């Protein structure tokens, strides 16, 4: 190819690239000028899955299987929970075991709102959080273990 054709092709490619970069830069500055709604949105921290044995007369005929997510207001609170993940999980486990010990988690009388409220209160009391907006129980299952004595 002759040099003028290559020079023409390079000039067109650079011109189109420069135009595209200018448009992207303009869109970015427009988005920044509009601001973000980070403060208005809730952020979710995935605490993980939990398995709690449900005791009945010294036996474990059932397990409670649940997945817990914590909804907070800011990314700083998610960062706090992430940095303390083992402690968060331990707090949730202690809450679930306490509910089971008191008889509030039974196969026939399980109430998700009771679990949500207890976990929320314990997390707010344990960590320096402004407020836990919501506790999301993605899975809440009772699984039979086969250890139940049948008459």
């Amino acid at each position: 190819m002759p040099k003028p054709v290559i020079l023409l092709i390079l000039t067109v490619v650079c011109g189109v690239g420069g135009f595209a970069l200018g448009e992207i830069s303009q869109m970015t500055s427009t988005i920044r000028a509009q601001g973000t709604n980070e403060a208005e949105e809730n952020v979710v921290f995935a605490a993980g899955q939990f398995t709690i044995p449900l005791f009945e007369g010294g036996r474990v005929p059932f397990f409670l299987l649940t997945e817990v997510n914590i909804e907070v207001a800011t990314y700083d609170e998610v960062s706090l929970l992430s940095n303390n993940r083992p402690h968060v999980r331990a707090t949730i486990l202690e809450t679930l075991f306490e509910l089971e010990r008191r008889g509030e988690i039974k196969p026939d009388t399980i109430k998700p709102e009771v679990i949500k409220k207890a976990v929320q209160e314990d997390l707010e009391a344990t960590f320096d959080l402004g407020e836990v907006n919501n506790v999301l129980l993605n899975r809440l299952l009772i699984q039979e273990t086969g250890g139940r004595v049948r008459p």
Side-chain angles (χ1 to χ4, degrees):
M1 253 196 214
K3 288 184 181 180
V5 174
I6 293 174
L7 191 56
L8 179 66
I9 292 172
L10 286 174
T11 304
V12 170
V13 169
C14 289
V16 170
F19 178 76
L21 285 174
E23 288 295 311
I24 291 171
S25 175
Q26 185 179 12
M27 286 177 20
T28 304
S29 64
T30 303
I31 291 171
R32 285 187 184 149
Q34 291 175 350
T36 61
N37 294 332
E38 268 185 26
E40 297 173 12
E41 296 178 4
N42 291 325
V43 188
V44 176
F45 168 75
Q49 298 178 352
F50 300 89
T51 303
I52 306 298
L54 303 179
F55 296 97
E56 186 179 279
R59 296 183 185 263
V60 181
F62 301 99
F63 284 112
L64 169 73
L65 306 170
T66 186
E67 183 176 341
V68 179
N69 292 324
I70 312 300
E71 189 176 277
V72 292
T74 66
Y75 287 102
D76 290 338
E77 292 172 336
V78 168
S79 180
L80 172 71
L81 294 174
S82 294
N83 291 337
N84 294 298
R85 180 178 296 274
H87 196 79
V88 170
R89 289 186 52 82
T91 302
I92 294 171
L93 275 172
E94 288 172 10
T95 303
L96 293 172
F97 273 107
E98 179 62 23
L99 289 171
E100 192 282 330
R101 188 190 65 74
R102 291 189 311 215
E104 295 182 35
I105 298 178
K106 292 291 178 198
D108 302 333
T109 61
I110 191 164
K111 296 178 183 165
E113 54 277 351
V114 171
I115 296 172
K116 286 180 172 187
K117 183 179 179 194
V119 169
Q120 182 175 355
E121 289 173 353
D122 286 351
L123 285 173
E124 287 175 351
T126 305
F127 296 97
D128 188 24
L129 297 173
E131 179 182 344
V132 173
N133 293 346
N134 200 359
V135 174
L136 307 169
L137 301 175
N138 291 347
R139 294 185 186 105
L140 190 62
L141 305 168
I142 300 290
Q143 180 179 353
E144 193 169 349
T145 63
R148 186 173 208 166
V149 178
R150 302 200 196 295

